[in-house]
Amino acid sequence: MNIHRLMSAVWTPRLAALLVAVPVVGLLQSCTDLSENPTSAITPDNFYRNADEVLGGLAGVYAQLRSTTDDYYNLSEISTDEMIVPTRGQDWYDNGTWLEIHHQTWTPTSASGLGAINGAWVNLFQGVARANALLAALPHANMGDADKKVVTAEARTLRAFYYYLLMDMFGGVPIVTDTDIKPRPRNTRAEVFDFIETELKAAREDLPETWSAENNGRMTQGAVDAILASMYLNAQVWTGTVTESGLQPGQARWQDAIDAVDRILNSGVYSLAANFNDNFTPDNSNSPEIIMQVKFMAATGLGLNFVMRALHYSQFDPSPWNGFATLAQTYYAFDTSDKRMDIFLEGPQDNVLTGQPVNDRSGKPLFFDPTIKDPTQATEGEGVRIYKWPADPNHVAENNGNDYAFFRLAEMYLIKAEALNELGKTAEAVDLVNKVRARDFSPPQPLNAADYTQATFRDRILEERLFELTAEAKRRQDLIRHGEYTAPFGFKDQREPYRILMPIPQTQIDANPMLEQNPGYGG
């Protein structure tokens, strides 16, 4: 069964009941009464009996990846200098949640605490639960040992990835590897880090280097190495301790990050796409650069909707939502000769598919102005829009078929460059950054190693990650790692240092009293 059939299988009648029931049976930390008995008759003992049913269960674990482009993505972007969702008249106020995220003023019971933050927690633990249900059943499934070994490795990798995102967002969370429904205490963030690392290393051995084209998007050794490289890059944060006064860093893992990237580079599987934009188009599954992606389809309920979040009401059919924009300071940070600046829509605007000029709702020609004067009362056209994933001509309503690349080879070069610089090898780091920049400037504009010290190139790498990875849900991690997440930017004032972790939503603590709140958020 190919990956598109796997992903769409969640909507078939035979599998729908399973995939709805799994979160009820296995989701241990959602706002569910933990004392109630599960009502589903579908269990590992009576459902995952043959290869088709196992692949259906695996489909559910993969399908949950699509949720990572909602609440987790929004929190990772809108709480940074890359995105803001201004209130436009009666649109996008939503009880103040969007500006609360951007200003980093959330609490465990605020609009975003009970909304997007709680949504991220629930969505990610649903992924864990689906993986746990499948893994519990696999030993008893009637399928070949070789296939069973690969599916087991995929499920463990996916579960580890959901924990990677939970660790990033919340720090320590309960480590759950069974399907029992009971309250669980939090593990420390360092314990979660160790669990993910151990799971990924074990699963890697049973994963293939590549899949056939029809199975594009399934987990590979390269995907494991990319997750590990990112973990090692952030190790000082993710194995450290967060208190009300800030981060007490853990141990650096720079050489481990380099080694993980080198396994990807030495595999010969991946190469930089000839054009930067090839990584984001509706046919981006063909890009040789994408290491790990979330699969989407131009089909009802299965498509990527980024164009809806950013575009003006008149620029696409169906009418987009005219919400997400970027800050002027981010837009102007780009070199005008950098091809990566093409992701922005600024100035007079057209319908993105027909190319015809469009008007705002007052009948005037639509114009996107980089300056947002007041995010509490912005006009329709204020704010440059990020159009990194272009509209799919074959879209079905708001559903576009662009895959969402979570890890690309370009980022691996930047990870290795950052690690090399931290080890004092700045000249080597500059060379790697120039490999990425080479396709984005004509004529080339290579950086000169003689112009940088280790400290100044550390700042330059943060800039290069902005230019390369804008809107790819990496900025929050990057700003935290560089100590700049709670610093003032745009419309945001200085915030408390403990906000590098999100609060545990109060709904989750109410459901599981064994959970302890993150420092600074009370409780």
Side-chain angles (χ1 to χ4, degrees), residues 164 193 200 221-235 238 253-264 291 407-408 411-416 419 465 477 481:
Y164 160 95
F193 185 101
L200 291 173
Q221 291 182 358
V224 167
D225 289 330
I227 301 169
L228 286 171
S230 180
M231 286 178 60
Y232 297 140
L233 180 72
N234 291 287
W238 290 347
R253 301 284 295 271
W254 305 119
Q255 187 58 52
D256 288 330
I258 293 168
D259 293 344
V261 172
D262 282 345
R263 289 195 294 271
I264 293 171
I291 301 170
F407 289 113
R408 298 189 285 114
E411 185 183 3
M412 297 301 107
Y413 280 121
L414 295 176
I415 287 175
K416 184 175 179 179
R465 286 184 64 90
Q477 286 184 10
R481 189 172 66 256

Side-chain angles (χ1 to χ4, degrees), residues 422-493:
E422 293 301 325
L423 293 176
K425 301 177 181 180
T426 300
E428 292 180 48
V430 172
D431 287 343
L432 284 177
V433 171
N434 282 334
K435 286 182 181 292
V436 177
R437 288 172 56 90
R439 69 177 172 188
D440 299 316
F441 293 89
S442 182
Q445 293 188 19
L447 305 178
N448 184 354
D451 295 336
Y452 295 97
T453 65
Q454 181 189 50
T456 59
F457 199 64
R458 183 180 294 125
D459 294 337
R460 182 69 203 213
I461 288 174
L462 181 61
E463 288 182 325
E464 288 295 329
R465 286 184 64 90
L466 171 68
F467 304 148
E468 183 69 27
L469 301 170
T470 288
E472 295 185 46
K474 303 300 172 76
R475 188 63 170 172
R476 177 178 169 275
Q477 286 184 10
D478 292 349
L479 292 177
I480 290 172
R481 189 172 66 256
H482 286 260
E484 297 183 17
Y485 181 65
T486 58
F489 56 71
F491 300 98
K492 181 183 77 70
D493 297 328

Side-chain angles (χ1 to χ4, degrees), residues 304-348:
L304 188 69
N305 69 7
F306 284 174
V307 296
M308 303 298 288
R309 304 180 199 184
L311 295 183
H312 185 268
Y313 317 106
S314 62
Q315 289 185 283
F316 186 69
D317 183 20
S319 178
W321 309 325
N322 197 37
F324 295 16
T326 196
L327 296 176
Q329 69 181 58
T330 296
Y331 172 67
Y332 288 124
F334 282 68
D335 189 312
T336 56
S337 61
D338 189 338
K339 296 175 184 177
R340 294 171 294 190
M341 198 176 188
D342 292 345
I343 67 171
F344 297 114
L345 297 181
E346 185 265 343

